[in-house]
Amino acid sequence: MDWTDDGIVLGLRKHGENDTIVTLFTHEHGRHLGIVHGGNGRRVRGIYQPGNLVRARWRARLSEHLGSFTCELVRSFAGTALDDALRLAALTSACAVANASLPEREPHAAAYRGFLGFLAVLDASNWPSAYVRWELLLLAELGYGLDLAACAATGSETDLLYVSPRTGRAVSAGAGAPYADRLLPLPAFLIRDAAWDTAAIRDGLRLTGHFLDRHIFASRKEGEPPARTRFMGCMLEKTT
Amino acid sequence: MPDSAIDHLVRLLGRLPGLGPRSARRVALDLLRHREQLLTPLMQALEDASEKVRECGTCGNLDLQDPCGICTDPKRDRSLLCVVEDVADLWALERAQVFRGRYHVLGGVLSALDGVGPEDLRIAALVDRAGNGELSEVILAMNATVDGQTTAHYISDRLKEGHVAVSRLAHGVPVGGELDYLDDGTLQTALKARRPL
């Protein structure tokens, strides 16, 4: 068995003295693990930093084997974020969320492209909105997409301000007003090309976080990945 | 078949870093061939290390005394503290003889994948040390990895409320490094950290 694909490094774990088990989010093969012989060496350790884009070749005798990767660095996104605490927290959070939520060896090309899109704007100013949009896309890819097109109660397509925490459907300002304290705020930038501020990003993260928790992390013993909790904490600190 | 003493020795040696089963066998054979010159002194040295070497309660270094020689050295600058991930990093800085302050060994880095949180590291002890009024600067000498820098940013946040300056090591072109062989990430951080000549 042998294939070559582009992949984003989600994480790595030391295996023995010299080897590393690397988790990649690949374009055509989804989240895939493989052993990198000599991956703990000084010369190649930089390639396997979370968030880096690599061209990976996977080889194994049988398809169900762990197999081994040989990778070439395509772009170092980790280097972009090292100096900036918030960007670095977002990068590690995205990797941890993808690692915790994506099933192994199941292609999710749209989520991959969304992740790459987020990484591509990581050094630009609009990275926070790209992050929230990516989590929304990830939920949709995993079958838990939110319906933000029209109000669940009135069918109205305008003035959408809330999301029902139970159904994941949008609710308009008028219909949601009596239940506002029980509904999740819907930031405008998620439904149209609107400006955003840190409060809107925080609302967006709360929205995606609620559904990620409910549908994905609740079934995990570890719950929400600590990297996402830390990123959320950094965003909250920025808005308070 | 019961394990012989030699097999047991080979298996234990094979667990040491840098030694596989074949090299462990060679080491075992060499030790047994040179009992007086190697095996007995090594046994004595291992016993001494096991009995006498301890972790410094202040900085986490390994030494024969607690507090360690570095913490009690009156010639060292008590206002500077260098935070490192591991004792090996402390030894590397000491070998280079470029830092004359004191150290704080964290015992690892925050790692989402391995489930290492702040409570697993000696971060609370560091915050206590930073708050004792003796320090003027804390230097974060973490590795230039995602986990290392995440830890550095976390510590920097924790120390924000104190009155100590927090700095970190520069990232960029290594001495003797050729640009052609550097990865994009290193080149990018080197360009970001450029300074006027």
Short mmCIF file of all heavy atoms in Angstrom, two decimals, chain A residues 11-13 17 49-50 74-76 78-80 82-83 85 88 92 99 230 237, chain B residues 17-18 112-114 144-146 149-150 153 160 168 171 183-185 188-189 192:
data_model
loop_
_atom_site.label_atom_id
_atom_site.label_comp_id
_atom_site.label_asym_id
_atom_site.label_seq_id
_atom_site.Cartn_x
_atom_site.Cartn_y
_atom_site.Cartn_z
N GLY A 11 -0.65 16.70 15.07
CA GLY A 11 0.03 16.43 16.34
C GLY A 11 1.08 15.36 16.14
O GLY A 11 1.14 14.71 15.10
N LEU A 12 1.91 15.23 17.14
CA LEU A 12 2.96 14.20 17.07
C LEU A 12 3.22 13.66 18.47
O LEU A 12 2.98 14.37 19.46
CB LEU A 12 4.24 14.75 16.46
CG LEU A 12 5.00 15.84 17.17
CD1 LEU A 12 6.44 15.87 16.73
CD2 LEU A 12 4.38 17.20 16.86
N ARG A 13 3.63 12.44 18.48
CA ARG A 13 3.91 11.79 19.77
C ARG A 13 5.20 10.98 19.60
O ARG A 13 5.35 10.27 18.62
CB ARG A 13 2.74 10.88 20.12
CG ARG A 13 2.80 10.38 21.52
CD ARG A 13 1.47 9.80 21.92
NE ARG A 13 0.50 10.84 22.24
CZ ARG A 13 -0.79 10.62 22.43
NH1 ARG A 13 -1.28 9.42 22.29
NH2 ARG A 13 -1.60 11.61 22.76
N GLU A 17 12.98 6.06 20.98
CA GLU A 17 13.98 7.12 21.15
C GLU A 17 14.04 8.07 19.96
O GLU A 17 14.19 9.27 20.13
CB GLU A 17 15.34 6.46 21.35
CG GLU A 17 16.30 7.38 22.04
CD GLU A 17 17.63 6.71 22.18
OE1 GLU A 17 17.66 5.47 22.28
OE2 GLU A 17 18.62 7.42 22.17
N GLN A 49 5.87 20.16 13.10
CA GLN A 49 5.20 21.04 14.07
C GLN A 49 3.72 21.16 13.69
O GLN A 49 3.39 21.29 12.51
CB GLN A 49 5.85 22.42 14.07
CG GLN A 49 7.24 22.43 14.67
CD GLN A 49 7.23 21.92 16.10
OE1 GLN A 49 6.54 22.45 16.97
NE2 GLN A 49 7.98 20.85 16.35
N PRO A 50 2.81 21.13 14.69
CA PRO A 50 1.39 21.22 14.39
C PRO A 50 1.08 22.46 13.54
O PRO A 50 1.59 23.54 13.80
CB PRO A 50 0.73 21.34 15.77
CG PRO A 50 1.69 20.65 16.68
CD PRO A 50 3.05 20.94 16.13
N VAL A 74 5.92 21.64 2.91
CA VAL A 74 5.43 22.50 1.82
C VAL A 74 5.36 23.94 2.32
O VAL A 74 5.85 24.85 1.67
CB VAL A 74 4.04 22.03 1.33
CG1 VAL A 74 3.49 22.96 0.25
CG2 VAL A 74 4.13 20.60 0.79
N ARG A 75 4.77 24.14 3.50
CA ARG A 75 4.70 25.49 4.06
C ARG A 75 4.64 25.41 5.58
O ARG A 75 3.89 24.61 6.14
CB ARG A 75 3.46 26.21 3.52
CG ARG A 75 3.53 27.67 3.79
CD ARG A 75 2.59 28.46 2.94
NE ARG A 75 2.43 29.77 3.55
CZ ARG A 75 1.46 30.61 3.29
NH1 ARG A 75 0.54 30.30 2.41
NH2 ARG A 75 1.39 31.77 3.91
N SER A 76 5.44 26.26 6.21
CA SER A 76 5.49 26.25 7.67
C SER A 76 4.54 27.30 8.23
O SER A 76 4.89 28.47 8.35
CB SER A 76 6.92 26.54 8.13
OG SER A 76 6.93 26.80 9.51
N ALA A 78 3.27 27.04 11.25
CA ALA A 78 3.58 27.16 12.68
C ALA A 78 4.50 28.35 12.92
O ALA A 78 4.34 29.09 13.89
CB ALA A 78 4.20 25.88 13.19
N GLY A 79 5.46 28.55 12.00
CA GLY A 79 6.41 29.65 12.13
C GLY A 79 5.73 31.00 12.12
O GLY A 79 6.17 31.95 12.77
N THR A 80 4.60 31.10 11.40
CA THR A 80 3.83 32.35 11.31
C THR A 80 3.30 32.75 12.67
O THR A 80 3.17 33.94 12.97
CB THR A 80 2.61 32.12 10.38
OG1 THR A 80 3.04 31.48 9.21
CG2 THR A 80 1.91 33.42 10.05
N LEU A 82 4.28 31.59 15.89
CA LEU A 82 5.04 31.39 17.14
C LEU A 82 5.14 32.64 18.02
O LEU A 82 5.13 32.55 19.24
CB LEU A 82 6.45 30.90 16.82
CG LEU A 82 6.62 29.42 16.43
CD1 LEU A 82 8.08 29.08 16.32
CD2 LEU A 82 5.94 28.50 17.43
N ASP A 83 5.23 33.81 17.39
CA ASP A 83 5.44 35.04 18.16
C ASP A 83 4.17 35.61 18.77
O ASP A 83 4.24 36.48 19.62
CB ASP A 83 6.05 36.13 17.25
CG ASP A 83 7.49 35.80 16.93
OD1 ASP A 83 8.07 34.99 17.65
OD2 ASP A 83 8.01 36.37 15.95
N ALA A 85 0.72 35.20 20.76
CA ALA A 85 0.06 34.27 21.69
C ALA A 85 -1.33 33.86 21.19
O ALA A 85 -1.69 32.68 21.26
CB ALA A 85 -0.05 34.91 23.06
N LEU A 88 -1.15 31.70 18.00
CA LEU A 88 -0.63 30.38 18.35
C LEU A 88 -1.70 29.56 19.08
O LEU A 88 -1.86 28.36 18.83
CB LEU A 88 0.61 30.54 19.24
CG LEU A 88 1.42 29.28 19.50
CD1 LEU A 88 1.94 28.67 18.21
CD2 LEU A 88 2.59 29.58 20.43
N THR A 92 -3.15 26.00 17.67
CA THR A 92 -3.14 24.75 18.44
C THR A 92 -4.57 24.27 18.70
O THR A 92 -4.84 23.08 18.71
CB THR A 92 -2.38 24.89 19.76
OG1 THR A 92 -2.82 26.06 20.43
CG2 THR A 92 -0.90 24.99 19.56
N ASN A 99 -8.17 17.06 15.52
CA ASN A 99 -7.66 15.77 15.99
C ASN A 99 -8.70 15.04 16.83
O ASN A 99 -8.84 13.81 16.77
CB ASN A 99 -6.39 16.02 16.82
CG ASN A 99 -5.49 14.81 16.85
OD1 ASN A 99 -5.66 13.88 16.07
ND2 ASN A 99 -4.54 14.82 17.76
N ARG A 230 -8.19 26.95 26.23
CA ARG A 230 -7.19 28.01 26.42
C ARG A 230 -7.40 29.14 25.42
O ARG A 230 -7.32 30.31 25.76
CB ARG A 230 -5.78 27.42 26.29
CG ARG A 230 -4.73 28.23 27.01
CD ARG A 230 -3.38 27.55 27.03
NE ARG A 230 -3.45 26.20 27.59
CZ ARG A 230 -2.95 25.13 27.01
NH1 ARG A 230 -2.34 25.21 25.85
NH2 ARG A 230 -3.03 23.96 27.59
N GLU A 237 -10.44 37.04 27.56
CA GLU A 237 -9.58 38.02 28.23
C GLU A 237 -9.46 39.28 27.38
O GLU A 237 -9.42 40.39 27.88
CB GLU A 237 -8.19 37.40 28.41
CG GLU A 237 -7.38 38.03 29.52
CD GLU A 237 -6.08 37.29 29.70
OE1 GLU A 237 -6.11 36.22 30.32
OE2 GLU A 237 -5.07 37.77 29.19
N PRO B 17 18.97 5.39 26.76
CA PRO B 17 18.92 6.11 25.49
C PRO B 17 20.17 5.84 24.65
O PRO B 17 21.28 5.80 25.18
CB PRO B 17 18.85 7.59 25.91
CG PRO B 17 19.08 7.63 27.36
CD PRO B 17 18.92 6.27 27.92
N GLY B 18 19.96 5.62 23.36
CA GLY B 18 21.08 5.42 22.44
C GLY B 18 21.53 3.97 22.34
O GLY B 18 22.40 3.65 21.53
N ALA B 112 -1.24 19.71 24.42
CA ALA B 112 -2.66 19.34 24.31
C ALA B 112 -2.79 17.85 24.02
O ALA B 112 -3.64 17.17 24.60
CB ALA B 112 -3.30 20.15 23.20
N LEU B 113 -1.91 17.34 23.16
CA LEU B 113 -2.04 15.95 22.73
C LEU B 113 -1.66 14.97 23.85
O LEU B 113 -2.30 13.94 24.03
CB LEU B 113 -1.13 15.71 21.51
CG LEU B 113 -1.52 14.56 20.62
CD1 LEU B 113 -2.90 14.78 20.02
CD2 LEU B 113 -0.50 14.37 19.52
N ASP B 114 -0.64 15.33 24.61
CA ASP B 114 -0.20 14.43 25.69
C ASP B 114 -0.91 14.71 27.01
O ASP B 114 -0.60 14.08 28.02
CB ASP B 114 1.32 14.54 25.88
CG ASP B 114 2.06 14.06 24.64
OD1 ASP B 114 1.52 13.18 23.96
OD2 ASP B 114 3.16 14.57 24.36
N ALA B 144 11.87 26.38 20.28
CA ALA B 144 11.06 27.09 19.26
C ALA B 144 10.10 26.11 18.59
O ALA B 144 10.09 25.95 17.37
CB ALA B 144 11.99 27.73 18.24
N THR B 145 9.31 25.45 19.40
CA THR B 145 8.28 24.54 18.90
C THR B 145 6.92 25.10 19.29
O THR B 145 6.84 26.02 20.13
CB THR B 145 8.42 23.14 19.54
OG1 THR B 145 8.30 23.29 20.96
CG2 THR B 145 9.76 22.52 19.22
N VAL B 146 5.86 24.56 18.68
CA VAL B 146 4.52 25.06 19.00
C VAL B 146 4.24 24.88 20.49
O VAL B 146 3.77 25.82 21.15
CB VAL B 146 3.47 24.33 18.12
CG1 VAL B 146 2.07 24.60 18.63
CG2 VAL B 146 3.60 24.79 16.68
N GLN B 149 6.53 27.32 22.65
CA GLN B 149 6.12 28.73 22.61
C GLN B 149 4.74 28.94 23.24
O GLN B 149 4.47 29.99 23.82
CB GLN B 149 6.14 29.25 21.17
CG GLN B 149 7.56 29.36 20.62
CD GLN B 149 8.50 30.12 21.54
OE1 GLN B 149 8.27 31.28 21.85
NE2 GLN B 149 9.55 29.46 22.02
N THR B 150 3.87 27.92 23.15
CA THR B 150 2.57 28.01 23.84
C THR B 150 2.83 28.14 25.34
O THR B 150 2.20 28.95 26.03
CB THR B 150 1.71 26.75 23.55
OG1 THR B 150 1.49 26.68 22.15
CG2 THR B 150 0.38 26.80 24.26
N HIS B 153 4.16 31.67 26.14
CA HIS B 153 3.09 32.68 26.18
C HIS B 153 2.23 32.53 27.44
O HIS B 153 1.82 33.52 28.05
CB HIS B 153 2.20 32.56 24.94
CG HIS B 153 2.86 33.02 23.67
ND1 HIS B 153 3.38 34.29 23.52
CD2 HIS B 153 3.10 32.39 22.51
CE1 HIS B 153 3.91 34.41 22.30
NE2 HIS B 153 3.75 33.26 21.68
N LYS B 160 2.38 38.44 34.10
CA LYS B 160 2.04 39.81 33.68
C LYS B 160 1.77 40.74 34.84
O LYS B 160 2.11 41.92 34.81
CB LYS B 160 0.82 39.75 32.75
CG LYS B 160 0.79 40.82 31.72
CD LYS B 160 -0.10 40.48 30.53
CE LYS B 160 -1.46 39.94 30.90
NZ LYS B 160 -2.23 39.52 29.74
N ARG B 168 12.24 36.56 25.97
CA ARG B 168 12.45 35.19 25.50
C ARG B 168 13.63 35.15 24.54
O ARG B 168 14.05 36.19 24.02
CB ARG B 168 11.19 34.64 24.83
CG ARG B 168 10.82 35.31 23.53
CD ARG B 168 9.94 34.37 22.72
NE ARG B 168 9.37 35.01 21.55
CZ ARG B 168 10.04 35.21 20.41
NH1 ARG B 168 11.29 34.85 20.32
NH2 ARG B 168 9.45 35.78 19.38
N HIS B 171 14.61 33.89 17.86
CA HIS B 171 14.49 32.79 16.90
C HIS B 171 15.05 33.27 15.57
O HIS B 171 14.79 34.39 15.17
CB HIS B 171 13.03 32.41 16.65
CG HIS B 171 12.30 32.01 17.88
ND1 HIS B 171 10.95 32.18 18.03
CD2 HIS B 171 12.73 31.45 19.03
CE1 HIS B 171 10.58 31.74 19.20
NE2 HIS B 171 11.65 31.29 19.83
N ASP B 183 14.38 26.18 6.81
CA ASP B 183 12.98 26.00 6.46
C ASP B 183 12.26 27.35 6.46
O ASP B 183 12.76 28.33 7.01
CB ASP B 183 12.32 25.02 7.43
CG ASP B 183 12.27 25.56 8.83
OD1 ASP B 183 13.29 25.47 9.54
OD2 ASP B 183 11.22 26.10 9.20
N ASP B 184 11.06 27.37 5.85
CA ASP B 184 10.30 28.63 5.71
C ASP B 184 10.03 29.28 7.05
O ASP B 184 10.09 30.50 7.20
CB ASP B 184 8.91 28.38 5.09
CG ASP B 184 8.99 27.62 3.81
OD1 ASP B 184 10.10 27.38 3.35
OD2 ASP B 184 7.91 27.28 3.28
N GLY B 185 9.69 28.46 8.04
CA GLY B 185 9.33 28.98 9.37
C GLY B 185 10.48 29.74 10.00
O GLY B 185 10.30 30.84 10.54
N GLN B 188 11.09 32.95 8.15
CA GLN B 188 10.05 33.92 8.45
C GLN B 188 10.28 34.59 9.81
O GLN B 188 10.21 35.81 9.93
CB GLN B 188 8.70 33.21 8.44
CG GLN B 188 7.53 34.16 8.39
CD GLN B 188 6.23 33.39 8.13
OE1 GLN B 188 6.20 32.16 8.16
NE2 GLN B 188 5.18 34.10 7.87
N THR B 189 10.59 33.78 10.84
CA THR B 189 10.81 34.37 12.16
C THR B 189 12.10 35.20 12.17
O THR B 189 12.16 36.22 12.84
CB THR B 189 10.89 33.28 13.25
OG1 THR B 189 11.75 32.25 12.82
CG2 THR B 189 9.54 32.70 13.59
N LYS B 192 11.21 38.49 10.63
CA LYS B 192 10.39 39.28 11.57
C LYS B 192 11.25 39.90 12.66
O LYS B 192 10.99 41.00 13.14
CB LYS B 192 9.35 38.38 12.23
CG LYS B 192 8.03 38.33 11.49
CD LYS B 192 7.03 37.56 12.35
CE LYS B 192 5.82 37.14 11.58
NZ LYS B 192 5.02 36.15 12.31
#
